[in-house]
Amino acid sequence: MSAIKKHLDTLSRLAVLIVMFVLLVLVSPSFGTLTNILNVLRVSSLTLIIATGIALCMLVSGIDLSPGATIALTSILFGRYFQMGHSTGEMVFGIAGILAVSAVIGAANGFCVAKLSLPPFLATYGIQQIVRGLAYLLTNGLVYSGFTEQFKFIGGGSILGIHTPIIFAAILLIIVGFLLNKTTLGRRIYAVGSNRESARYSGINVTGTLMMSYILSGLIAGFAGIVYTSRLNCAEPTIGAEFAQQAIAAAAIGGISFKGGHGNVFGIIIGALMLTLITNGMTLLGIDSDWQVGATGVIIILAVLIDRNTAKKKV
Amino acid sequence: MSDVILELRNICKEFPGVKALDNVSFDLRKGEVHVLLGENGAGKSTLMKVLTGVYHPNSGEIVLHGNKVSFQTPRDAQLARIAIIFQEFNLAPNLTVAQNIFLGREPKARSGLIDRAKMVRDAQEILDFLKVKIDPNAKVETLGVAHQQLVEVAKALSIDSEILIMDEPTATLSENEISALFDTIRNLQKRGVSIIYISHRMQELKVIGNRITVLRDGQTVGTCEASEVTLDELIRMMVGREISKVRTRTENTAREETALEVSHLSQGNKLKDVSIRVQRGEIVGLAGLVGSGRTELAQAVYGITRRDSGDISICGEPIQNPTPIKCIQRRMGFISEDRKECGLALNLPIRVNVTHAGLKSIFPGGIVDVRRERKLAEDYRAKLRIVTPDVERNVVNLSGGNQQKVVLAKWLSTDSAFLVFDEPTRGIDVGAKEEIHNLIRDLAVNGVGILMISSDLPEILTLSDRIYVMREGRIVHEIEQVTSETTQEEIIAYATGGAEQ
Ligand SMILES: Nc1ncnc2c1ncn2[C@@H]1O[C@H](COP(=O)(O)OP(=O)(O)OP(=O)(O)O)[C@@H](O)[C@H]1O
Ligand SMILES: [Mg+2]
């Protein structure tokens, strides 16, 4: 009983998601096919991965606007440097290198927020500009393409019929879910996000916790970059422009509070799925793509409003 | 005197899983001070929030001057000339004292703009009336809890109200401010203002109250004339069981090892050449008026603020630039008086809050054993009698006194060797207070050194082995051995400077 109450928030969101799904199936039976469901999951998975990282920053009452740029830089780095040879060893080395670079980007965000006390929005906006600028500089005006089959498998393959990005997203969510619920780092993240001053009085390393959240978000963005580059099978400095926005919307719809300290991984999943269902549903309904963009905005605002009103009623 | 101006009839209010008010009735006469008494979580604050439109009752009615009313928002209540001082403050931290006092009701000049000069002057007038020395231009965030409390009082007084509700106004105040507050209350009474007064400081009730209504578990136990009832009777009415006996001071369990040694510590004009010492196993009281530097001393030791000069050593280890993390490594803990800002993550469950200060020591591997965490929370819930349907509740939904118990649980569950308690029983009811006192004694017996800051002199006297008295940033007196002969007057004399004249 108390378990239900505790998750009321998440459950009510899940209910909305299910209702959306059922409505879509009723309107367009092709929606319910396994192929389409897998497609929805595949499309959601990248947003989901990025949203998970950003959510870690939102939980410490911050934000991370840089993932899109990190993805672009990642893809250029891979295209230009790390695919040099074509051996498995080199690919693994390349991936490790990219994760290291993205961790550094995360650390730069964290440094600006935690050590220099800059507002997270501005700090990560600045960093994302720098990172994207780097991507342009390193591109040399070329588009890189033609990766190895092995590399293409990372983002474009499937295991037992399930697309690899879905599998990666699932593994990541399990890891982050564990981190948030079952580790002291998770406790610190919620504590800092909920009340920074009381966290400091409790002897929690506030600076370290903030740094850690941003580094993890950076790492996750770098990982998303690898998956995305592999799926696109090409590297360009312009990619990923809307990723951060989309992921933030997914996290927010899923109940990760901008004030920090509130929300969980289930919420992120539900948020990302809702976002995809909206676009996917409109396509299936044959709505003109020019109309879709604006309609998505309207639906997002409605979703947040409904959510806020149900949250209020609980008091 | 006996015309009833306000009546609450059969009020019921439920929260998920909690019946906070169950058929409560209450009436208020013109010009009286009506005390509302009850244990932590009895429903006092909830009743007042129902009255002022913060919460809407599930059933029951509010009758003001013979008319049924229903306030949708606290603003409506204000328009009906009902002012309230909430237990949990409602101040805007980055606005000034004057801006806070007149928030939303700023005096306007003829131009239609805010008349700042008048606002500051009016604020100063009210503060003078309360005999408090606070700069109306100071930002509220720079004030200690007691001064914030007084700003809340000033804010309520600035509203020309007919009914004034005070929810634990004295929980952090010391004798001086309390007597000024009581003078103010009596003045208001003469002007026909009716006051609803909530407090856990039993000795105040008969001094200031005309009538007393007791609540227990959300129900009215009864109303009586303050002059016709004894404190023991009141306690029995509110607790409904025997409360644990006041244990007399056990032997001083002080040991050889030093828990805290501070020498010649100075900081701006707040602390001047302060030297104190606390042995492990010893309870040392730190008395003084509000603003005498007690909290500032603790904050300097804990590394919240930087000292200008002086040496600090914790558990025998000198510490150059203290930070909370370094202090906790040396097994010190600091229970702040400001539970809302510094003590609790209000939007997280009780279970999670309880382990915040001890994360490293309770879960050394970095992995949280949720079952153990829940067990710990349940243990303290039973031990401190935290009123809640379960430990998964967010702390924000607890009553004030129960929130305070969570702060205590958080620090009691660490393995500290030296603890500073700043107003440990702020807002705690009589029964639970005894239990907390016993817990503090047990800590001392087990070798924990304790420095206790408290404005509650009886508390200082019953618990302390030794007492320091502070005034204006200095230690002005040390009572080396507290005996049954030690009196409150002795402390007050030094705290106010009366002893030197
Ligand atoms: N917003 C809320 N949501 C859920 N439960 C609540 C809420 N506010 C109060 N309660 C519950 O209602 C009961 C009464 O609380 P209330 O704050 O009125 O107590 P109180 O008499 O003021 O206690 P205290 O002396 O500790 O201040 C408590 O059990 C509390 O947990
Ligand atoms: Mg209360």
Side-chain angles (χ1 to χ4, degrees), chain B residues 400-419:
Chain B
N402 286 302
Q403 291 184 4
Q404 181 69 21
K405 294 176 193 172
V406 177
V407 184
L408 291 170
K410 172 166 98 174
W411 286 100
L412 293 173
S413 66
T414 61
D415 64 342
S416 302
F418 169 50
L419 285 173

Side-chain angles (χ1 to χ4, degrees), chain B residues 39-46 49 87-88 167-168 198 200 339 398-401 427:
Chain B
E39 282 184 293
N40 295 134
K44 307 177 295 293
S45 300
T46 305
K49 286 181 185 168
Q87 182 175 17
E88 308 301 333
D167 197 347
E168 299 195 25
I198 300 175
H200 289 294
R339 61 175 170 252
L398 297 181
S399 78

Side-chain angles (χ1 to χ4, degrees), chain B residues 13-14 57 74 84 101 112 118 184 206 210 221 272 306 376-377 419 432 456:
Chain B
K13 174 70 193 169
E14 262 183 73
I84 178 164
I101 292 178
K118 178 168 166 41
T184 313
K206 295 184 53 129
N210 301 112
V221 180
K272 294 164 196 156
R306 288 265 156 268
L376 205 62
L419 285 173
D456 187 352

Side-chain angles (χ1 to χ4, degrees), chain B residues 98-109:
Chain B
Q99 282 168 334
N100 263 288
I101 292 178
F102 293 104
L103 196 64
R105 299 172 290 109
E106 293 85 357
K108 301 266 163 59

